[in-house]
Amino acid sequence: MKLKDILNGLNILSTTADLDTEITGVSYDSRAVQPGDLFVAVVGYTVDGHNYIEKAKAAGAAAVLCQRVPAEDLPYVQVENTRRALAVAGTNWFGHPADSMVMTAVTGTNGKTTTTYLLKFILEHVKGAKVGLIGTNQNMIGDEVEATERTTPESFEVQRLFARMRDAGCTHVVMEASSHALYEDRIYGVPFQVGVFTNLTQDHLDFHKTMEAYCDAKAILFQNCKVGVVNHDDSWAERLLRNATCQTITYGEKPGADLRAENVVLEADHIAFDAVWNGKKTPVTVGIPGGFMVYNTLDALGAALALGISLEESAQALRSVPGVRGRVEVVPTPGKDYTVLIDYAHSPDGIVNVLDTVKGFAKGRTIALFGCGGDRDKTKRPKMGRAAAERADLVVLTTDNPRTEVPADIIADILPGFEGLDTPYQVVEDRVEAIHWAMDHAEGGDVIVLCGKGHETYQEINHVKHHMDEREIVADYLNR
């Protein structure tokens, strides 16, 4: 592809490159540059691609797309923002794949994964659509599953995925949009038909610093979609929509929402409620427990409405929707009279949601096992401790992904949350041993909730991911 075609739509500030140059590839990582590539010098959160232009040149880059004129003798194209430029270049390189599919993005602190799975299920079972999914658990092209490294990939990889989905015959894409991805323009220029907001609670303040900045990052989606489906009951909704340019559908349980849940029933294995839309009630039943599932279901229903699917059609489909891996997931414990659940809860609000759900059906004690991620927001650690101590009957404190931090230091940051409460707790630093301890001390009717890992099958320590699947840990211990 000619360089000028890759740059189509960009405002070029200056250039020494021949825009008719044939480019053989696009790379934003100097280690992956091949001869004839366009190297995009992305200014990142911790790494500046401009520092690697010399390496890109040595690897045979034909030109560099940059924000600052490089010192190296390499043809360059200067633009104002290389992050956005990478997104545009990816869109051009892969032939604008999103334009041929119906795009939906879901953002928020909790509930993104579950919402995307519910909406994918509705689209497949009502419209017979082939749906691409991008998210925390995995990426999917129809039924084809592949692993994912992070919630929302870099913009060029997003476009590559879109192209694969288009070429495989997908008609719709449902994706999670993290606050990092929105802030860093990883989905810049994507023509979203629908944007969904689940909720906003404390998380990622190591990156955003303040809740206001965190909210404003989420709000970017609603300046770049046609219809916004927004949680009316969330206290941040007003700020989120302050500069929105989209039409909106609000949902919630409180009066004033466009789509409302009434007569909510929460059971150990399902939820049920009446969805009220334009004065008409539609009964909804979903076989996944938890009060938070009411909101996850409402936002999926709202998104489906925005895509032309009636409440009746969506409700019929959701009667048979399966559970989502790592979200209130039951782990088999044959021969035992206690229950083990796995949940991705890794924020104070996530802990509250899952433990409140379990307290609603546990016949015995609720045992919460959790830790906090290293190299992340430290201010939420005592809040997670408080949330667990106020709701669980017994807490086991252990590690999550310690990354480069000392596990004992992370646990010490959690413990102030227990002050003033008499909730018993046990510190078992090694997570495998902590799970064994919880199983050894469980009694009949107890529910052990393994919080934080969810779908993850690894533990990250000092930049190395070690295999750790909590389903295997439970099964292996029982087999002994």
Side-chain angles (χ1 to χ4, degrees), residues 143-421:
D143 295 327
E144 179 189 343
V145 176
E146 61 180 42
T148 181
E149 284 294 316
R150 52 182 174 176
T151 300
T152 315
E154 186 54 83
S155 61
F156 196 79
E157 307 313 320
V158 167
Q159 295 297 330
R160 189 194 307 276
L161 267 172
F162 288 165
R164 290 178 56 203
M165 291 171 178
R166 173 200 60 199
D167 296 346
C170 288
T171 57
H172 293 71
V173 174
V174 181
M175 68 180 296
E176 297 180 46
S178 68
S179 57
H180 294 70
L182 287 160
Y183 181 82
E184 294 179 338
D185 291 316
R186 293 186 216 157
I187 49 177
Y188 176 76
V190 177
F192 289 112
Q193 175 68 28
V194 180
V196 179
F197 170 67
T198 61
N199 50 64
L200 196 79
T201 60
Q202 184 173 340
D203 204 8
H204 304 306
L205 295 193
D206 54 303
F207 182 87
H208 295 291
K209 308 306 179 187
T210 68
M211 287 296 293
E212 288 75 16
Y214 183 28
C215 179
D216 293 346
K218 299 287 190 188
I220 293 169
L221 177 60
F222 302 93
Q223 298 155 30
N224 294 279
C225 68
K226 291 183 178 179
V227 182
V229 180
V230 176
N231 185 347
H232 168 268
D233 297 350
D234 192 278
S235 61
W236 290 95
E238 181 179 354
R239 183 184 181 96
L240 183 93
L241 293 174
R242 187 175 295 168
N243 297 308
T245 57
C246 58
Q247 300 176 19
T248 59
I249 296 173
T250 60
Y251 67 89
E253 294 186 38
K254 297 178 182 178
D258 299 323
L259 173 63
R260 198 170 66 258
E262 292 184 352
N263 306 316
V264 174
V265 176
L266 305 178
E267 298 291 352
D269 60 350
H270 74 275
I271 61 166
F273 61 88
D274 290 328
V276 183
W277 172 254
N278 289 334
K280 182 180 179 181
K281 292 185 178 181
T282 301
V284 177
T285 301
V286 179
I288 306 173
F292 57 92
M293 272 304 301
V294 176
Y295 285 91
N296 291 344
T297 304
L298 281 172
D299 59 22
L301 292 173
L305 281 170
L307 294 173
I309 300 174
S310 70
L311 281 183
E312 293 79 5
E313 291 173 312
S314 293
Q316 181 62 34
L318 289 179
R319 286 183 174 275
S320 58
V321 69
V324 179
R325 181 176 172 86
R327 272 65 178 176
V328 201
E329 177 187 348
V330 178
V331 182
T333 52
K336 297 297 181 181
D337 54 2
Y338 58 76
T339 301
V340 177
L341 299 178
I342 292 176
D343 194 84
Y344 191 48
H346 62 284
S347 67
D349 190 59
I351 293 283
V352 168
N353 287 340
V354 70
L355 295 186
D356 280 351
T357 295
V358 172
K359 292 288 282 187
F361 64 76
K363 296 178 180 178
R365 297 175 300 169
T366 297
I367 302 173
L369 181 150
F370 79 99
C372 293
D375 304 331
R376 298 294 187 268
D377 178 15
K378 294 184 178 182
T379 66
K380 73 177 184 181
R381 294 174 183 174
K383 295 177 182 178
M384 289 176 65
R386 193 74 178 180
E390 289 179 341
R391 287 161 179 80
D393 300 298
L394 172 63
V395 178
V396 184
L397 293 175
T398 185
T399 56
D400 192 292
N401 289 316
R403 299 185 176 90
T404 64
E405 284 195 69
V406 177
D409 293 343
I410 298 174
I411 293 171
D413 287 341
I414 298 172
L415 285 173
F418 285 75
E419 292 177 2
L421 299 173

Side-chain angles (χ1 to χ4, degrees), residues 10 26-30 33 38-53 56 63-68 77 79-90 150 153-157 180-181 183-186:
L10 290 176
V26 177
S27 180
Y28 53 92
D29 184 339
S30 62
V33 170
L38 170 67
F39 175 61
V40 185
V42 174
V43 179
Y45 183 55
T46 57
V47 176
D48 186 346
H50 291 77
N51 297 330
Y52 298 88
I53 292 175
V64 60
L65 187 58
C66 54
Q67 289 179 204
R68 302 189 302 272
V77 178
V79 294
E80 184 176 347
N81 185 321
T82 49
R83 276 209 164 275
R84 292 188 173 183
L86 178 64
V88 172
R150 52 182 174 176
E154 186 54 83
S155 61
F156 196 79
E157 307 313 320
H180 294 70
Y183 181 82
E184 294 179 338
D185 291 316
R186 293 186 216 157

